[in-house]
Amino acid sequence: MSVVNQPTPKPLRQSPTRRLATAVEPYLYGAPVVILVATVMLVPLVIGMTYAFRDITLLNPFSGGFVGLANFRKLAHDADFWLALKNTVFWTAASVFFQFVLGLILALLLNRPFAGRGIAQALVFLPWAVPTFLSGLDWAWLFNPVVGPIPHWLVALGLMSQPENILSDPNLAMWGPIVANVWWGIPFFAITMLAALQSIPRDIYEAASIDGAGAFERFRAITVPFLAPTIAIAILLRTVWIANFADLIVVMTNGGPADRTQIVASYIFTTAFRRLDFGYASAIAMVLLGLLMIYSLLIVILRQTLLARF
Amino acid sequence: MAEIDIRHVRKSFQNLEILKAVDLSIRTGEFIVLVGPSGCGKSTLLRMIAGLEEVTAGDIVIDGKRINDLAPRDRNLAMVFQSYALYPHMTVAGNMSYSLRLRKFAQDRIAAAIGEASRVLGLTALMERRPRALSGGQRQRVAMGRAIVREPQAFLWDEPLSNLDARLREQMRAEIKKLHRRLGTTSIYVTHDQIEAMTLADRIVAMDAGTIQQIGTPADLYDRPANLFVAGFIGSPAMNFLHARMASETPTRSALILADGPRMTVPETLGLQAGQAVIVGIRPEHIVVGDAAPRQTGVAGKTGTGAGEAIVDLVEPTGMGAIVHFRLDTVVHKAYHLGRADWKAGDHITVHFPTERLHFFGATDGRRLN
Amino acid sequence: MAMSRKRILGTLAHRAAVLLYIVVALFPLYWLLKVSVTPTRLLYSEGVRMWPSKTTWAHYAFVLQNSDFPQFFENSLIVSLSTAAVVTLLAAAAGYAISRFEFRGKIWLIGFLLVTQMFPLVMLIAPIFKILSSIGLTNSLAGLILVYSAFNVPFAVFLMQSFFDAIPRDLEEAAMIDGASRFMAFRQIIVPLTLPGMAATLGFVFTAAWSELLFALMLISKSDISTFPVGLLSFVSKFGVDFGQMMAAGVLALVPAVLFFLLIQRFLVQGLMAGAVKG
């Protein structure tokens, strides 16, 4: 077979410069990302930390001087901040709890094959695609007795004496953003759990049922231990994320009524955006960052000890 | 077509030495098979020849030219991968012509080349299909076609048959052999399957733990394995080994004492001191089993001379014959018995080890003695 | 048979539960749609009816003809598409490096990107505003694109890496032996095979940029360069009673996000496992 003549190869000798080029190649590919992220996130982060020790108010030409720990001292006595911190814990705990429980149930439902599963999956995950500001507005409207059905349903169920907007009730207002957040966030947990569920080998379940394990026993002895690491990671990340997630609150209640829905993240935003007090906003942000880091560390330690035990 | 010289080639990752000073000369048109267990370094050596791995030390020379620092594309070699590595987004024709298109060949020459290759490999009807629409054997053929259209200096085969089922493997093995006979291109073939090595190779390179254990024709490796590793690796079922000690030696004969007591005399000189340990090997197919065992010279059983008695442990019929597992003293050995084997576990049989079929290895270094 | 009746009941309960989830997931969107086509005069009299006795496109017509929403829509589209394109390109390069090269800085690169995923973005609002205003990038779509790109690129890198990881190395090696340089192998073999993955990354980033509110609020104060979320929010605070129009605008904001969701739906599981951090 000699249809093709030998092509004349143009040898590319691997000179030292070429070797160097090979060595720097991956850095070249990674450099744009690193430069972008460093300049837009890391540099501002460091600068923001210096703001915390300065008096920086936009539109005030005399501000900018270093004030030491004044911002933090003010923070310690700021009742709004402590209320926001309390609200943050409630907001985060309730949101994560319901997102997780309902997401896990959804994942278990979807892990079972049935006709139309693909369509069902696309539909139940749809809220995740809804822009957050829009889901906030949408739920605000649903809670509004003028155009929304929810107050009327609550009256019909006897849970409310007359149709009112729970977003304007200081005692209930926080549930508005929480419901919106749960609705919007269930798919995240469901998808994560579903992926983990699908990575459990089928034959382990088959072996267990042959060994005589019932449905509940299989769930307890196989599903839960297999899911545990994913659950731990997902809850950790989600908690940090939700604690920082101010969009829904800014859109639905703007912290009101009477600051009863103000969380730390939305408080930072309000301080920076409305009062233009960047120094104080940065001080709050640093405290929030510190708290979240402590929380993450605790979770990681807890996870390590649990893993070591089992 | 090319001569390939591997000169003192080493490979290490961090502190791990994967290849230790390998030397190998491959003649033009030769079919060389690198065989060994996984992790022995055979694939690494092949990938170094291909240019996919850096050479830590030593030279790889093709036709007198050192190619260590050439990029893979400048080496003019073709490789067939275990996974076939067919481009999923290209048709069969696209896969086969890719290298020629990269080299900017004229359309008509490309068409002629892939036309010829597809005819040889029986792929003509499949040229417009995508790889995912092909069976395993067809994919294998396309991978071969992609290699041959280039008329490379040499073919490199990286375990090309291990993803196929047994029947197809047998068939493709024969096709590869025919293809080589027809093209005569220098080939280096990596496999862990000693049957593939035996059937395909002009010369086999048996490797273990990063070093070459033996280079030779299939018959060499089968008849005169250079050491215990090669003896145990080539042949299936594997060679049986018996521990023994040297008793005495004359210029023409050696007397050995087997671990379980009996003596035997063999017409070989092993060059050992009395008392030194020796390992005696015999291939299962050379052991004569059953009533057919002539009570002549040889060794087995408690008697020490002639045929001995053994107890059947297990019989595995293969159709053509049977693998008889039998217990000599406490150690289980295997014999390949042609024809029917109607023994059951616990039966007493006679086994006979013809002395001219015995292999002797040093117990400490594993080297062949006779 | 008791056993099979139990099984049928179980199946029924399962389907009912799935149905309940679907209803809850879709109801708020349905309501948005419903109010947007309800004539204003019927809105109050038929407040909680599931479907109005008459429907109208008037709200859409108003929003499209008499409001700034087409402008907002265009701004958002420019910002989101540019961000998605920039991020996908950069993330493809970095993801390829992480997937295919062994290099000393790799672990640091991964660690760096992971850490940036962890800290609260709200911390950056004040300093980013200061920095961008000093170089004239506030009130500019380019400023938003820059910020959004940086926020989304770490996640996209991991996503792209997972797509590259799914392509066997053998293919590139085969191409290089066939005579391709590394770059040619990347362009001719890897890129065509990762196109679906790139589309998914594009979709993720687009959706994220389309939804972003707080930085847009902070960095943009002029109406003619507002993005959709900012425009909708100011519309709500200005004309808080025109529910029909607001919801028509809301439906318009929903459309691109849902389209991109359908595009990436298939990759959701893989994507979230790759990043496992992004909302």
Side-chain angles (χ1 to χ4, degrees):
Chain A
M1 212 182 80
S2 57
V3 192
V4 184
N5 288 327
Q6 205 65 251
T8 44
K10 281 181 300 173
L12 255 173
R13 265 201 88 82
Q14 227 169 8
S15 59
T17 31
R18 209 187 120 99
R19 271 175 193 265
L20 184 71
T22 320
V24 295
E25 205 178 350
Y27 294 96
L28 275 168
Y29 294 152
V33 166
V34 173
I35 292 169
L36 178 68
V37 174
T39 48
V40 182
M41 295 178 80
L42 228 51
V43 171
L45 180 75
V46 174
I47 293 178
M49 287 181 174
T50 69
Y51 286 2
F53 304 97
R54 293 165 70 184
D55 163 32
I56 295 208
T57 313
L58 210 64
L59 306 177
N60 178 356
F62 302 108
S63 69
F66 277 87
V67 293
L69 295 173
N71 283 328
F72 292 97
R73 275 196 290 274
K74 184 176 159 198
L75 191 58
H77 300 106
D78 182 351
D80 290 348
F81 169 74
W82 292 106
L83 178 61
L85 196 59
K86 214 178 85 186
N87 289 338
T88 304
V89 172
F90 178 62
W91 149 259
T92 309
S95 299
V96 172
F97 176 78
F98 286 110
Q99 281 188 5
F100 167 65
V101 171
L102 295 172
L104 179 61
I105 294 173
L106 179 56
L108 290 170
L109 290 173
L110 289 177
N111 194 37
R112 181 170 156 179
F114 58 92
R117 178 164 68 164
I119 296 166
Q121 192 167 312
L123 292 179
V124 289
F125 290 167
L126 195 59
W128 185 80
V130 176
T132 43
F133 68 92
L134 190 60
S135 45
L137 286 176
D138 196 4
W139 280 96
W141 293 327
L142 290 171
F143 284 124
N144 186 331
V146 178
V147 282
I150 293 179
H152 303 279
W153 292 346
L154 291 176
V155 170
L157 288 171
L159 295 169
M160 215 182 242
S161 53
Q162 51 180 329
E164 274 167 10
N165 195 338
I166 64 160
L167 295 178
S168 45
D169 180 339
N171 293 319
L172 295 174
M174 188 54 111
W175 285 105
I178 289 175
V179 169
N181 193 13
V182 170
W183 176 79
W184 182 76
I186 287 175
F188 171 85
F189 268 107
I191 293 165
T192 314
M193 297 296 134
L194 190 59
L197 281 173
Q198 285 172 352
S199 72
I200 305 177
R202 285 279 120 208
D203 46 7
I204 295 189
Y205 285 106
E206 285 160 10
S209 23
I210 289 167
D211 284 346
F216 178 76
E217 180 58 24
R218 288 200 298 271
F219 179 76
R220 196 193 64 76
I222 300 171
T223 312
V224 173
F226 263 90
L227 285 187
T230 313
I231 290 175
I233 284 285
I235 287 185
L236 162 71
L237 294 171
R238 210 53 190 169
T239 305
V240 173
W241 199 88
I242 287 175
N244 291 312
F245 182 40
D247 296 37
L248 286 176
I249 285 173
V250 168
V251 168
M252 292 176 79
T253 63
N254 220 336
D259 278 343
R260 290 301 282 270
T261 60
Q262 192 77 282
I263 64 168
V264 177
S266 62
Y267 190 48
I268 295 170
F269 180 75
T270 311
T271 307
F273 179 63
R274 299 212 196 284
R275 297 188 210 150
L276 302 174
D277 190 345
F278 285 8
Y280 194 50
S282 296
I284 309 171
M286 266 186 79
V287 171
L288 178 62
L289 181 65
L291 291 173
L292 290 173
M293 277 167 71
I294 293 170
Y295 165 81
S296 308
L297 206 64
L298 283 178
I299 291 285
V300 169
I301 292 170
L302 186 70
R303 182 162 177 272
Q304 288 312 108
T305 42
L306 282 181
L307 279 182
R309 189 120 56 89
F310 296 112
Chain B
M1 265 176 265
E3 271 179 17
I4 301 174
D5 267 314
I6 316 283
R7 295 179 189 157
H8 262 73
V9 163
R10 292 170 184 273
K11 174 75 184 175
S12 41
F13 279 117
Q14 278 126 30
N15 293 325
L16 195 68
E17 204 166 27
I18 292 170
L19 282 179
K20 300 164 193 161
V22 168
D23 281 286
L24 176 64
S25 269
I26 300 166
R27 292 186 289 269
T28 300
E30 209 175 7
F31 201 113
I32 288 284
V33 176
L34 306 180
V35 70
S38 56
C40 72
K42 57 190 190 301
S43 278
T44 308
L45 181 58
L46 190 79
R47 291 169 57 83
M48 284 160 83
I49 297 170
L52 299 173
E53 302 273 358
E54 294 244 338
V55 177
T56 308
D59 289 328
I60 297 176
V61 177
I62 298 185
D63 279 343
K65 219 177 72 200
R66 181 174 175 275
I67 57 152
N68 283 32
D69 297 331
L70 283 187
R73 61 174 168 149
D74 297 321
R75 298 188 180 200
N76 196 24
L77 304 169
M79 183 154 163
V80 178
F81 289 78
Q82 178 174 3
S83 64
Y84 318 135
L86 300 180
Y87 312 124
H89 57 303
M90 296 184 192
T91 60
V92 169
N95 266 282
M96 285 169 63
S97 61
Y98 183 62
S99 62
L100 303 181
R101 283 182 283 139
L102 281 172
R103 285 176 170 76
K104 308 242 182 309
F105 275 64
Q107 280 299 325
D108 53 330
R109 283 176 70 193
I110 295 178
I114 64 172
E116 169 78 12
S118 61
R119 196 184 51 73
V120 169
L121 293 164
L123 291 169
T124 316
L126 307 173
M127 294 306 273
E128 293 312 312
R129 293 230 195 137
R130 300 275 160 137
R132 93 173 56 129
L134 301 176
S135 70
Q138 289 167 339
R139 288 178 199 183
Q140 175 63 53
R141 266 177 238 266
V142 176
M144 283 163 62
R146 192 170 66 179
I148 65 175
V149 290
R150 292 190 28 205
E151 301 210 330
Q153 298 197 75
F155 290 127
L156 309 177
W157 310 80
D158 191 5
E159 310 220 10
L161 302 184
S162 43
N163 283 353
L164 300 176
D165 64 48
R167 174 75 46 202
L168 210 49
R169 195 150 58 212
E170 212 174 277
Q171 188 189 334
M172 294 307 297
R173 204 167 68 203
E175 284 197 30
I176 290 173
K177 189 149 188 164
K178 279 187 211 157
L179 194 70
H180 179 251
R181 199 171 58 200
R182 175 191 186 113
L183 302 174
T185 309
T186 312
S187 295
I188 307 176
Y189 186 107
V190 161
T191 182
H192 60 262
D193 177 359
Q194 51 97 19
I195 302 273
E196 270 172 38
M198 295 294 284
T199 49
L200 286 168
D202 292 327
R203 281 193 299 156
I204 295 177
V205 178
M207 295 180 66
D208 186 40
T211 51
I212 291 180
Q213 304 289 325
Q214 187 173 7
I215 305 177
T217 63
D220 284 343
L221 268 72
Y222 181 80
D223 293 338
R224 294 186 56 79
N227 56 34
L228 273 177
F229 168 78
V230 179
F233 194 80
I234 300 287
S236 174
M239 187 183 279
N240 300 294
F241 295 113
L242 296 86
H243 290 269
R245 259 181 314 109
M246 192 67 167
S248 61
E249 194 172 75
T250 70
T252 53
R253 317 176 72 77
S254 305
L256 298 171
I257 302 169
L258 290 181
D260 49 0
R263 290 171 71 92
M264 68 174 169
T265 313
V266 291
E268 306 260 4
T269 50
L270 303 175
L272 288 178
Q273 306 291 319
Q276 272 189 299
V278 71
I279 290 171
V280 181
I282 181 156
R283 296 199 180 278
E285 54 271 40
H286 296 150
I287 299 177
V288 185
V289 187
D291 310 324
R295 294 177 177 272
Q296 291 165 3
T297 55
V299 59
K302 296 288 182 194
T303 56
T305 55
E309 236 183 36
I311 298 167
V312 174
D313 202 49
L314 182 72
V315 178
E316 297 177 287
T318 64
M320 184 169 70
I323 301 165
V324 181
H325 300 231
F326 60 87
R327 198 182 294 275
L328 253 188
D329 201 38
T330 55
V331 188
V332 176
H333 297 285
K334 293 177 194 174
Y336 195 84
H337 176 76
L338 272 177
R340 295 271 172 248
D342 293 326
W343 302 291
K344 293 186 300 295
D347 285 355
H348 288 252
I349 52 169
T350 61
V351 289
H352 169 65
F353 298 180
T355 48
E356 70 278 13
R357 296 291 203 179
L358 296 180
H359 306 260
F360 300 93
F361 304 96
T364 44
D365 59 1
R367 288 239 298 274
R368 183 177 191 86
L369 298 171
N370 59 325
Chain C
M1 292 254 290
M3 192 60 205
S4 74
R5 182 181 298 162
K6 202 174 154 191
R7 183 162 292 176
I8 288 169
L9 280 178
T11 306
L12 279 178
H14 174 260
R15 299 298 187 280
V18 171
L19 198 65
L20 185 67
Y21 267 99
I22 293 176
V23 169
V24 171
L26 295 187
F27 181 76
L29 301 178
Y30 165 77
W31 202 258
L32 198 67
L33 198 68
K34 184 218 125 180
V35 175
S36 77
V37 295
T38 304
T40 308
R41 57 184 177 79
L42 292 181
L43 202 54
Y44 304 106
S45 54
E46 300 183 351
V48 281
R49 269 176 68 143
M50 280 299 126
W51 193 249
S53 52
K54 263 180 78 177
T55 61
T56 174
W57 293 106
H59 302 310
Y60 288 92
F62 179 87
V63 163
L64 290 174
Q65 285 158 14
N66 303 326
S67 77
D68 291 334
F69 276 106
Q71 178 70 48
F72 299 154
F73 197 89
E74 189 191 318
N75 292 339
S76 263
L77 214 55
I78 292 171
V79 170
S80 304
L81 284 176
S82 311
T83 304
V86 169
V87 166
T88 305
L89 206 67
L90 298 189
Y96 182 71
I98 294 176
S99 172
R100 285 301 196 260
F101 290 87
E102 289 305 326
F103 54 104
R104 218 176 283 273
K106 184 160 147 177
I107 184 85
W108 294 104
L109 177 59
I110 295 173
F112 171 70
L113 294 177
L114 276 180
V115 165
T116 58
Q117 290 281 282
M118 287 294 291
F119 67 72
L121 291 181
V122 72
M123 288 191 71
L124 302 178
I125 282 194
I128 282 185
F129 179 83
K130 274 285 233 187
I131 294 170
L132 289 192
S133 67
S134 71
I135 53 174
L137 281 177
T138 46
N139 274 324
S140 125
L141 295 183
L144 274 190
I145 294 169
L146 181 73
V147 171
Y148 290 176
S149 296
F151 289 176
N152 286 297
V153 86
F155 169 74
V157 169
F158 295 125
L159 194 54
M160 283 310 300
Q161 184 211 339
S162 77
F163 291 120
F164 286 126
D165 282 348
I167 297 176
R169 260 162 211 261
D170 283 4
L171 289 184
E172 276 159 298
E173 294 180 348
M176 293 198 307
I177 289 173
D178 269 351
S181 64
R182 190 183 264 281
F183 181 71
M184 277 150 88
F186 177 73
R187 204 167 54 85
Q188 297 176 343
I189 308 296
I190 305 303
V191 169
L193 294 175
T194 17
L195 279 183
M198 291 197 183
T201 310
L202 221 56
F204 272 104
V205 179
F206 181 92
T207 318
W210 185 265
S211 311
E212 208 288 328
L213 173 68
L214 299 187
F215 279 81
L217 270 177
M218 191 75 201
L219 296 176
I220 306 284
S221 55
K222 289 191 187 141
S223 154
D224 60 328
I225 41 177
S226 285
T227 56
F228 212 107
V230 176
L232 190 58
L233 209 63
S234 60
F235 187 85
V236 169
S237 44
K238 244 183 275 173
F239 311 96
V241 286
D242 283 322
F243 286 106
Q245 289 163 18
M246 289 191 295
M247 298 209 192
V251 171
L252 293 179
L254 189 61
V255 169
V258 169
L259 285 181
F260 270 90
F261 169 77
L262 294 179
L263 179 71
I264 62 177
Q265 208 259 118
R266 212 150 57 82
F267 301 98
L268 271 182
V269 173
Q270 187 178 1
L272 284 180
M273 288 319 282
V277 275
K278 195 74 183 180

